[in-house]
Amino acid sequence: QVQLVESGGGLVQAGGSLRLSCAASGRTFSSYAMGWFRQVPGKEREFVARITWSAGIANYANSVRGRFTISGDNAKNTVSLRMNSLKPEDTAVYYCAASERPSGTYYSRPGAYDLWGQGTQVTVSS
């Protein structure tokens, strides 16, 4: 069984930075892409960013483009999210996700991902 484990969440002031990390553990696992979503209570899980290993393409939600940077290591099944210029509206539980197959234009949908981490809280104070 494969598990995704996130780390790096916490409390930060607006304008500050945080770095989230995610690592896969367990049986040998090969992913097509890994990414990050976030969710606040009462709202749907929202796409943040993802990276595809074969093409090295990174996609971002419009709300975070230019502020967040996703990176990772396919061989190690690790992915990180560097978050700069954080805003109070970035407050959420952030989830790491992995997909084992291409998802075309549906990469921003939670259903395109096969594995999920348990989530890590990010709180940005104003």
Side-chain angles (χ1 to χ4, degrees):
Q1 185 175 358
V2 179
Q3 288 184 320
L4 300 180
V5 180
E6 303 101 334
S7 60
L11 173 65
V12 65
Q13 288 188 335
S17 299
L18 279 176
R19 184 181 181 89
L20 305 182
S21 297
C22 172
S25 63
R27 64 170 172 81
T28 300
F29 172 68
S30 178
S31 63
Y32 171 78
M34 294 184 74
W36 293 92
F37 284 73
R38 65 188 182 187
Q39 190 170 24
V40 298
K43 292 190 175 182
E44 293 185 352
R45 195 163 293 190
E46 175 190 34
F47 171 76
V48 176
R50 73 126 188 197
I51 185 167
T52 62
W53 301 126
S54 59
I57 294 174
N59 303 98
Y60 296 93
N62 289 336
S63 59
V64 307
R65 186 175 291 112
R67 299 188 297 122
F68 291 10
T69 302
I70 189 170
S71 61
D73 186 325
N74 184 21
K76 297 180 180 179
N77 277 320
T78 59
V79 66
S80 297
L81 186 69
R82 176 67 178 179
M83 306 184 293
N84 295 329
S85 303
L86 283 162
K87 304 175 182 180
E89 51 263 44
D90 294 318
T91 295
V93 176
Y94 282 70
Y95 295 90
C96 175
S99 63
E100 297 180 296
R101 61 196 184 282
S103 54
T105 59
Y106 298 98
Y107 64 83
S108 63
R109 300 186 183 184
Y113 296 81
D114 306 291
L115 292 174
W116 292 88
Q118 82 287 352
T120 185
Q121 177 71 45
V122 171
T123 302
V124 184
S125 63
S126 58

